[in-house]
Amino acid sequence: MPADRNGGPRHLRRERRGRHSAVRWHLGLSSACAVIAFAVIGALLLVFSHGGRSQPVAQSGPSAQREDDRVADAERRASRGEQRTGDTPSGQPSASASGGQQPSPAGTAVPAPPNTTTAAPAKPAPAPTVIAPVGGLTQAEMKNAVTIVRTGQEQKLPNRAYVVAIATALQESHLHNLANPNVPESLNLPNEGVGSDHDSVGLFQQRPSWGTVAELMNPAEAARRFYAALVKVDGWEQMAVTVAAQTVQVSAYPDAYAKWQALAEQVVATVAP
């Protein structure tokens, strides 16, 4: 084979060119692999650099305890400041006076305002009902008749007892609470006139054997003593009104009570229907 002027035989030159091409291909491949490797390593480093950053962690231990103490101390100071502001100097409106409310630190209980409502005043007791007079009686006489009836009702006595008592008082005093000059003490007590029958006083003209002067001049007490004597009479419920009254009073005019029975019954029907 003839030699080539540029470097020997042609087949040798082609062989050398093949080897040089292989070397260049391997070098290019190695360079590409190196570039890829560096890129991967750079990416990994970037990922690790971001992922490895530590997140803030809640403090613990002595530093956290100190922080809690500072917060608690701040709340206590704020609470004391609120209490001091509650004592408003004279001439300055306080929060309660102006209708406002002082802010309180978080977690601090605000005391409820005192209950300033006052109980409503008690209603006065209703005045006793005044019963109009009947049968020509005056209001004072009717008042005494009502007292006699109410006293008998307190003792759970029947209406018949009220009729006997009122007929008796009509005959003895015409339902007037009489004093007596013969009993000077009676003149110093409330009365509605003056009688003169021995030492008898009051609605039923009872004598000292019935009780003290003060007791007999009290219309309700005089009626109680009359009823006490009446219920001791056997069969008084079946007796005529005048007989029952005479049995209790032992009067010099035993039939005088009969004329008052109708009026007594009218009064009782009005007061205790």
Side-chain angles (χ1 to χ4, degrees), residues 82 96 100-102 104 108-116:
E82 181 185 4
S96 60
Q101 186 174 4
Q102 293 288 345
S104 61
T108 304
V110 179
N115 184 7
T116 57

Side-chain angles (χ1 to χ4, degrees), residues 9 20 25 32 44 48 53 56 58 64 113 130 145 147 168 176 183 209-210 237 250 254 258:
H20 288 317
W25 185 85
L44 292 175
F48 288 142
R53 290 180 184 174
V130 177
T147 298
T168 301
H176 292 162
V183 185
S209 59
W210 285 81
E237 299 95 330
V250 191

